[in-house]
PDB file of all heavy atoms in Angstrom:
ATOM      1  N   TYR A1391      99.926 107.844  95.439  1.00 96.00           N
ATOM      2  CA  TYR A1391      99.305 108.593  96.537  1.00 96.00           C
ATOM      3  C   TYR A1391      98.219 107.737  97.183  1.00 96.00           C
ATOM      4  O   TYR A1391      97.035 107.869  96.898  1.00 96.00           O
ATOM      5  CB  TYR A1391      98.698 109.897  96.018  1.00 96.00           C
ATOM      6  CG  TYR A1391      99.696 110.914  95.531  1.00 96.00           C
ATOM      7  CD1 TYR A1391      99.300 111.978  94.727  1.00 96.00           C
ATOM      8  CD2 TYR A1391     101.048 110.821  95.866  1.00 96.00           C
ATOM      9  CE1 TYR A1391     100.216 112.917  94.273  1.00 96.00           C
ATOM     10  CE2 TYR A1391     101.964 111.753  95.415  1.00 96.00           C
ATOM     11  CZ  TYR A1391     101.539 112.798  94.615  1.00 96.00           C
ATOM     12  OH  TYR A1391     102.457 113.725  94.176  1.00 96.00           O
ATOM     13  N   GLN A1392      98.632 106.836  98.046  1.00 96.00           N
ATOM     14  CA  GLN A1392      97.681 105.913  98.644  1.00 96.00           C
ATOM     15  C   GLN A1392      97.079 106.476  99.932  1.00 96.00           C
ATOM     16  O   GLN A1392      97.572 107.452 100.500  1.00 96.00           O
ATOM     17  CB  GLN A1392      98.346 104.568  98.921  1.00 96.00           C
ATOM     18  CG  GLN A1392      99.554 104.627  99.836  1.00 96.00           C
ATOM     19  CD  GLN A1392     100.121 103.261 100.118  1.00 96.00           C
ATOM     20  OE1 GLN A1392      99.426 102.383 100.635  1.00 96.00           O
ATOM     21  NE2 GLN A1392     101.387 103.049  99.796  1.00 96.00           N
ATOM     22  N   GLU A1393      96.025 105.820 100.377  1.00 96.00           N
ATOM     23  CA  GLU A1393      95.319 106.215 101.589  1.00 96.00           C
ATOM     24  C   GLU A1393      95.826 105.398 102.775  1.00 96.00           C
ATOM     25  O   GLU A1393      95.986 104.186 102.666  1.00 96.00           O
ATOM     26  CB  GLU A1393      93.817 105.969 101.443  1.00 96.00           C
ATOM     27  CG  GLU A1393      93.140 106.812 100.389  1.00 96.00           C
ATOM     28  CD  GLU A1393      92.914 108.238 100.844  1.00 96.00           C
ATOM     29  OE1 GLU A1393      92.546 108.435 102.018  1.00 96.00           O
ATOM     30  OE2 GLU A1393      93.112 109.153 100.019  1.00 96.00           O
ATOM     31  N   PRO A1394      96.069 106.044 103.917  1.00 97.00           N
ATOM     32  CA  PRO A1394      96.441 105.266 105.102  1.00 97.00           C
ATOM     33  C   PRO A1394      95.259 104.440 105.592  1.00 97.00           C
ATOM     34  O   PRO A1394      94.103 104.702 105.224  1.00 97.00           O
ATOM     35  CB  PRO A1394      96.835 106.336 106.124  1.00 97.00           C
ATOM     36  CG  PRO A1394      96.098 107.559 105.688  1.00 97.00           C
ATOM     37  CD  PRO A1394      96.007 107.482 104.197  1.00 97.00           C
ATOM     38  N   MET A1395      95.547 103.456 106.411  1.00 97.00           N
ATOM     39  CA  MET A1395      94.503 102.588 106.941  1.00 97.00           C
ATOM     40  C   MET A1395      94.763 102.341 108.419  1.00 97.00           C
ATOM     41  O   MET A1395      95.838 102.653 108.943  1.00 97.00           O
ATOM     42  CB  MET A1395      94.498 101.250 106.196  1.00 97.00           C
ATOM     43  CG  MET A1395      95.817 100.514 106.278  1.00 97.00           C
ATOM     44  SD  MET A1395      95.695  98.756 105.897  1.00 97.00           S
ATOM     45  CE  MET A1395      94.838  98.142 107.341  1.00 97.00           C
ATOM     46  N   ASN A1396      93.766 101.802 109.100  1.00 97.00           N
ATOM     47  CA  ASN A1396      93.902 101.480 110.520  1.00 97.00           C
ATOM     48  C   ASN A1396      94.431 100.067 110.690  1.00 97.00           C
ATOM     49  O   ASN A1396      93.835  99.110 110.188  1.00 97.00           O
ATOM     50  CB  ASN A1396      92.551 101.615 111.228  1.00 97.00           C
ATOM     51  CG  ASN A1396      92.105 103.051 111.341  1.00 97.00           C
ATOM     52  OD1 ASN A1396      92.927 103.968 111.387  1.00 97.00           O
ATOM     53  ND2 ASN A1396      90.802 103.275 111.383  1.00 97.00           N
ATOM     54  N   LEU A1397      95.542  99.949 111.383  1.00 98.00           N
ATOM     55  CA  LEU A1397      96.119  98.655 111.738  1.00 98.00           C
ATOM     56  C   LEU A1397      95.900  98.442 113.220  1.00 98.00           C
ATOM     57  O   LEU A1397      96.348  99.245 114.035  1.00 98.00           O
ATOM     58  CB  LEU A1397      97.614  98.619 111.417  1.00 98.00           C
ATOM     59  CG  LEU A1397      98.395  97.425 111.987  1.00 98.00           C
ATOM     60  CD1 LEU A1397      97.922  96.127 111.342  1.00 98.00           C
ATOM     61  CD2 LEU A1397      99.895  97.606 111.798  1.00 98.00           C
ATOM     62  N   THR A1398      95.233  97.358 113.576  1.00 98.00           N
ATOM     63  CA  THR A1398      94.952  97.063 114.975  1.00 98.00           C
ATOM     64  C   THR A1398      95.897  95.984 115.478  1.00 98.00           C
ATOM     65  O   THR A1398      95.941  94.879 114.936  1.00 98.00           O
ATOM     66  CB  THR A1398      93.494  96.606 115.158  1.00 98.00           C
ATOM     67  OG1 THR A1398      92.618  97.652 114.734  1.00 98.00           O
ATOM     68  CG2 THR A1398      93.212  96.272 116.618  1.00 98.00           C
ATOM     69  N   ILE A1399      96.659  96.330 116.511  1.00 97.00           N
ATOM     70  CA  ILE A1399      97.503  95.368 117.203  1.00 97.00           C
ATOM     71  C   ILE A1399      96.733  94.914 118.434  1.00 97.00           C
ATOM     72  O   ILE A1399      96.407  95.724 119.307  1.00 97.00           O
ATOM     73  CB  ILE A1399      98.857  95.994 117.618  1.00 97.00           C
ATOM     74  CG1 ILE A1399      99.604  96.499 116.389  1.00 97.00           C
ATOM     75  CG2 ILE A1399      99.691  94.983 118.402  1.00 97.00           C
ATOM     76  CD1 ILE A1399      99.979  95.417 115.404  1.00 97.00           C
ATOM     77  N   GLY A1400      96.423  93.632 118.491  1.00 96.00           N
ATOM     78  CA  GLY A1400      95.591  93.132 119.570  1.00 96.00           C
ATOM     79  C   GLY A1400      96.397  92.606 120.741  1.00 96.00           C
ATOM     80  O   GLY A1400      97.584  92.301 120.621  1.00 96.00           O
ATOM     81  N   SER A1401      95.722  92.502 121.878  1.00 95.00           N
ATOM     82  CA  SER A1401      96.341  91.916 123.066  1.00 95.00           C
ATOM     83  C   SER A1401      96.163  90.406 122.989  1.00 95.00           C
ATOM     84  O   SER A1401      95.286  89.827 123.636  1.00 95.00           O
ATOM     85  CB  SER A1401      95.682  92.473 124.338  1.00 95.00           C
ATOM     86  OG  SER A1401      96.202  91.865 125.494  1.00 95.00           O
ATOM     87  N   VAL A1402      97.007  89.764 122.170  1.00 95.00           N
ATOM     88  CA  VAL A1402      96.865  88.336 121.906  1.00 95.00           C
ATOM     89  C   VAL A1402      97.847  87.533 122.758  1.00 95.00           C
ATOM     90  O   VAL A1402      98.810  88.061 123.298  1.00 95.00           O
ATOM     91  CB  VAL A1402      97.081  88.030 120.410  1.00 95.00           C
ATOM     92  CG1 VAL A1402      95.980  88.666 119.579  1.00 95.00           C
ATOM     93  CG2 VAL A1402      98.454  88.521 119.948  1.00 95.00           C
ATOM     94  N   ARG A1403      97.600  86.233 122.835  1.00 92.00           N
ATOM     95  CA  ARG A1403      98.402  85.384 123.716  1.00 92.00           C
ATOM     96  C   ARG A1403      99.733  84.967 123.102  1.00 92.00           C
ATOM     97  O   ARG A1403     100.698  84.773 123.816  1.00 92.00           O
ATOM     98  CB  ARG A1403      97.608  84.126 124.081  1.00 92.00           C
ATOM     99  CG  ARG A1403      96.536  84.364 125.136  1.00 92.00           C
ATOM    100  CD  ARG A1403      96.032  83.027 125.659  1.00 92.00           C
ATOM    101  NE  ARG A1403      95.151  83.209 126.801  1.00 92.00           N
ATOM    102  CZ  ARG A1403      93.854  82.927 126.807  1.00 92.00           C
ATOM    103  NH1 ARG A1403      93.281  82.490 125.702  1.00 92.00           N
ATOM    104  NH2 ARG A1403      93.139  83.101 127.901  1.00 92.00           N
ATOM    105  N   THR A1404      99.780  84.802 121.800  1.00 93.00           N
ATOM    106  CA  THR A1404     101.003  84.299 121.187  1.00 93.00           C
ATOM    107  C   THR A1404     101.405  85.175 120.008  1.00 93.00           C
ATOM    108  O   THR A1404     100.562  85.841 119.385  1.00 93.00           O
ATOM    109  CB  THR A1404     100.833  82.849 120.696  1.00 93.00           C
ATOM    110  OG1 THR A1404      99.882  82.834 119.619  1.00 93.00           O
ATOM    111  CG2 THR A1404     100.360  81.938 121.820  1.00 93.00           C
ATOM    112  N   LEU A1405     102.702  85.142 119.683  1.00 95.00           N
ATOM    113  CA  LEU A1405     103.201  85.911 118.552  1.00 95.00           C
ATOM    114  C   LEU A1405     102.728  85.325 117.234  1.00 95.00           C
ATOM    115  O   LEU A1405     102.629  86.040 116.231  1.00 95.00           O
ATOM    116  CB  LEU A1405     104.725  85.977 118.597  1.00 95.00           C
ATOM    117  CG  LEU A1405     105.305  86.766 119.782  1.00 95.00           C
ATOM    118  CD1 LEU A1405     106.830  86.735 119.745  1.00 95.00           C
ATOM    119  CD2 LEU A1405     104.812  88.211 119.772  1.00 95.00           C
ATOM    120  N   ASP A1406     102.432  84.034 117.199  1.00 94.00           N
ATOM    121  CA  ASP A1406     101.868  83.428 115.995  1.00 94.00           C
ATOM    122  C   ASP A1406     100.519  84.058 115.664  1.00 94.00           C
ATOM    123  O   ASP A1406     100.220  84.339 114.497  1.00 94.00           O
ATOM    124  CB  ASP A1406     101.701  81.918 116.175  1.00 94.00           C
ATOM    125  CG  ASP A1406     103.021  81.179 116.108  1.00 94.00           C
ATOM    126  OD1 ASP A1406     104.008  81.768 115.609  1.00 94.00           O
ATOM    127  OD2 ASP A1406     103.081  80.015 116.555  1.00 94.00           O
ATOM    128  N   ARG A1407      99.718  84.277 116.693  1.00 95.00           N
ATOM    129  CA  ARG A1407      98.421  84.926 116.468  1.00 95.00           C
ATOM    130  C   ARG A1407      98.606  86.356 116.004  1.00 95.00           C
ATOM    131  O   ARG A1407      97.850  86.855 115.160  1.00 95.00           O
ATOM    132  CB  ARG A1407      97.591  84.895 117.757  1.00 95.00           C
ATOM    133  CG  ARG A1407      97.079  83.513 118.132  1.00 95.00           C
ATOM    134  CD  ARG A1407      96.093  83.595 119.287  1.00 95.00           C
ATOM    135  NE  ARG A1407      95.611  82.283 119.677  1.00 95.00           N
ATOM    136  CZ  ARG A1407      94.702  82.087 120.631  1.00 95.00           C
ATOM    137  NH1 ARG A1407      94.186  83.110 121.284  1.00 95.00           N
ATOM    138  NH2 ARG A1407      94.318  80.856 120.942  1.00 95.00           N
ATOM    139  N   LEU A1408      99.601  87.024 116.556  1.00 96.00           N
ATOM    140  CA  LEU A1408      99.883  88.392 116.116  1.00 96.00           C
ATOM    141  C   LEU A1408     100.251  88.402 114.639  1.00 96.00           C
ATOM    142  O   LEU A1408      99.752  89.234 113.875  1.00 96.00           O
ATOM    143  CB  LEU A1408     101.018  88.985 116.941  1.00 96.00           C
ATOM    144  CG  LEU A1408     101.487  90.374 116.495  1.00 96.00           C
ATOM    145  CD1 LEU A1408     100.414  91.412 116.771  1.00 96.00           C
ATOM    146  CD2 LEU A1408     102.788  90.755 117.180  1.00 96.00           C
ATOM    147  N   ALA A1409     101.126  87.479 114.217  1.00 97.00           N
ATOM    148  CA  ALA A1409     101.542  87.419 112.816  1.00 97.00           C
ATOM    149  C   ALA A1409     100.338  87.182 111.905  1.00 97.00           C
ATOM    150  O   ALA A1409     100.209  87.823 110.849  1.00 97.00           O
ATOM    151  CB  ALA A1409     102.585  86.315 112.629  1.00 97.00           C
ATOM    152  N   ARG A1410      99.449  86.279 112.302  1.00 96.00           N
ATOM    153  CA  ARG A1410      98.265  86.008 111.482  1.00 96.00           C
ATOM    154  C   ARG A1410      97.362  87.229 111.403  1.00 96.00           C
ATOM    155  O   ARG A1410      96.822  87.548 110.342  1.00 96.00           O
ATOM    156  CB  ARG A1410      97.499  84.806 112.044  1.00 96.00           C
ATOM    157  CG  ARG A1410      98.218  83.476 111.859  1.00 96.00           C
ATOM    158  CD  ARG A1410      97.259  82.304 112.055  1.00 96.00           C
ATOM    159  NE  ARG A1410      96.731  82.255 113.404  1.00 96.00           N
ATOM    160  CZ  ARG A1410      97.310  81.591 114.410  1.00 96.00           C
ATOM    161  NH1 ARG A1410      98.454  80.953 114.199  1.00 96.00           N
ATOM    162  NH2 ARG A1410      96.758  81.555 115.597  1.00 96.00           N
ATOM    163  N   SER A1411      97.193  87.914 112.525  1.00 97.00           N
ATOM    164  CA  SER A1411      96.325  89.088 112.553  1.00 97.00           C
ATOM    165  C   SER A1411      96.869  90.199 111.664  1.00 97.00           C
ATOM    166  O   SER A1411      96.129  90.796 110.868  1.00 97.00           O
ATOM    167  CB  SER A1411      96.184  89.595 113.997  1.00 97.00           C
ATOM    168  OG  SER A1411      95.494  90.826 114.038  1.00 97.00           O
ATOM    169  N   VAL A1412      98.158  90.481 111.782  1.00 97.00           N
ATOM    170  CA  VAL A1412      98.763  91.541 110.975  1.00 97.00           C
ATOM    171  C   VAL A1412      98.751  91.163 109.499  1.00 97.00           C
ATOM    172  O   VAL A1412      98.486  91.989 108.628  1.00 97.00           O
ATOM    173  CB  VAL A1412     100.197  91.837 111.457  1.00 97.00           C
ATOM    174  CG1 VAL A1412     100.894  92.821 110.529  1.00 97.00           C
ATOM    175  CG2 VAL A1412     100.162  92.391 112.877  1.00 97.00           C
ATOM    176  N   GLY A1413      99.016  89.867 109.212  1.00 96.00           N
ATOM    177  CA  GLY A1413      99.006  89.411 107.830  1.00 96.00           C
ATOM    178  C   GLY A1413      97.649  89.560 107.165  1.00 96.00           C
ATOM    179  O   GLY A1413      97.562  89.745 105.952  1.00 96.00           O
ATOM    180  N   LYS A1414      96.584  89.475 107.945  1.00 96.00           N
ATOM    181  CA  LYS A1414      95.235  89.658 107.391  1.00 96.00           C
ATOM    182  C   LYS A1414      94.925  91.120 107.112  1.00 96.00           C
ATOM    183  O   LYS A1414      94.029  91.419 106.317  1.00 96.00           O
ATOM    184  CB  LYS A1414      94.196  89.090 108.360  1.00 96.00           C
ATOM    185  CG  LYS A1414      94.192  87.573 108.468  1.00 96.00           C
ATOM    186  CD  LYS A1414      93.171  87.097 109.485  1.00 96.00           C
ATOM    187  CE  LYS A1414      93.179  85.578 109.605  1.00 96.00           C
ATOM    188  NZ  LYS A1414      92.212  85.101 110.628  1.00 96.00           N
ATOM    189  N   GLN A1415      95.647  92.023 107.764  1.00 97.00           N
ATOM    190  CA  GLN A1415      95.343  93.440 107.625  1.00 97.00           C
ATOM    191  C   GLN A1415      96.236  94.167 106.625  1.00 97.00           C
ATOM    192  O   GLN A1415      95.829  95.175 106.048  1.00 97.00           O
ATOM    193  CB  GLN A1415      95.470  94.136 108.987  1.00 97.00           C
ATOM    194  CG  GLN A1415      94.504  93.627 110.038  1.00 97.00           C
ATOM    195  CD  GLN A1415      94.717  94.313 111.376  1.00 97.00           C
ATOM    196  OE1 GLN A1415      94.394  95.491 111.557  1.00 97.00           O
ATOM    197  NE2 GLN A1415      95.285  93.584 112.325  1.00 97.00           N
ATOM    198  N   LEU A1416      97.456  93.666 106.418  1.00 97.00           N
ATOM    199  CA  LEU A1416      98.428  94.341 105.567  1.00 97.00           C
ATOM    200  C   LEU A1416      98.791  93.488 104.355  1.00 97.00           C
ATOM    201  O   LEU A1416      98.444  92.313 104.281  1.00 97.00           O
ATOM    202  CB  LEU A1416      99.701  94.647 106.363  1.00 97.00           C
ATOM    203  CG  LEU A1416      99.554  95.560 107.579  1.00 97.00           C
ATOM    204  CD1 LEU A1416     100.896  95.719 108.281  1.00 97.00           C
ATOM    205  CD2 LEU A1416      98.992  96.915 107.180  1.00 97.00           C
ATOM    206  N   MET A1417      99.531  94.089 103.423  1.00 96.00           N
ATOM    207  CA  MET A1417     100.001  93.361 102.256  1.00 96.00           C
ATOM    208  C   MET A1417     101.032  92.312 102.655  1.00 96.00           C
ATOM    209  O   MET A1417     101.206  91.302 101.978  1.00 96.00           O
ATOM    210  CB  MET A1417     100.613  94.331 101.234  1.00 96.00           C
ATOM    211  CG  MET A1417     100.955  93.681  99.905  1.00 96.00           C
ATOM    212  SD  MET A1417     101.605  94.848  98.682  1.00 96.00           S
ATOM    213  CE  MET A1417     103.271  95.094  99.314  1.00 96.00           C
ATOM    214  N   ILE A1418     101.724  92.550 103.786  1.00 95.00           N
ATOM    215  CA  ILE A1418     102.726  91.600 104.250  1.00 95.00           C
ATOM    216  C   ILE A1418     102.058  90.253 104.516  1.00 95.00           C
ATOM    217  O   ILE A1418     101.005  90.189 105.146  1.00 95.00           O
ATOM    218  CB  ILE A1418     103.383  92.071 105.563  1.00 95.00           C
ATOM    219  CG1 ILE A1418     103.849  93.508 105.459  1.00 95.00           C
ATOM    220  CG2 ILE A1418     104.547  91.158 105.938  1.00 95.00           C
ATOM    221  CD1 ILE A1418     104.290  94.091 106.798  1.00 95.00           C
ATOM    222  N   ASP A1419     102.697  89.191 104.071  1.00 93.00           N
ATOM    223  CA  ASP A1419     102.201  87.854 104.372  1.00 93.00           C
ATOM    224  C   ASP A1419     102.549  87.500 105.814  1.00 93.00           C
ATOM    225  O   ASP A1419     103.608  87.880 106.319  1.00 93.00           O
ATOM    226  CB  ASP A1419     102.832  86.846 103.421  1.00 93.00           C
ATOM    227  CG  ASP A1419     102.216  85.467 103.567  1.00 93.00           C
ATOM    228  OD1 ASP A1419     101.180  85.210 102.946  1.00 93.00           O
ATOM    229  OD2 ASP A1419     102.787  84.657 104.329  1.00 93.00           O
TER     230      ASP A1419
END
């Protein structure tokens, strides 16, 4: 029974930056 969290998807320039941002916020690498 885990707690939800806020995931922020930013208006970034490249998909590489998106991957790094999401990887810092979630368990997904």
Side-chain angles (χ1 to χ4, degrees):
Y1391 293 163
Q1392 58 177 302
E1393 295 283 320
M1395 58 161 289
N1396 290 332
L1397 169 66
T1398 299
I1399 301 297
S1401 176
V1402 294
R1403 283 193 172 114
T1404 66
L1405 294 179
D1406 286 343
R1407 289 189 181 183
L1408 175 69
R1410 290 197 297 270
S1411 172
V1412 173
K1414 290 178 181 178
Q1415 298 178 72
L1416 299 178
M1417 188 177 75
I1418 310 170
D1419 187 85

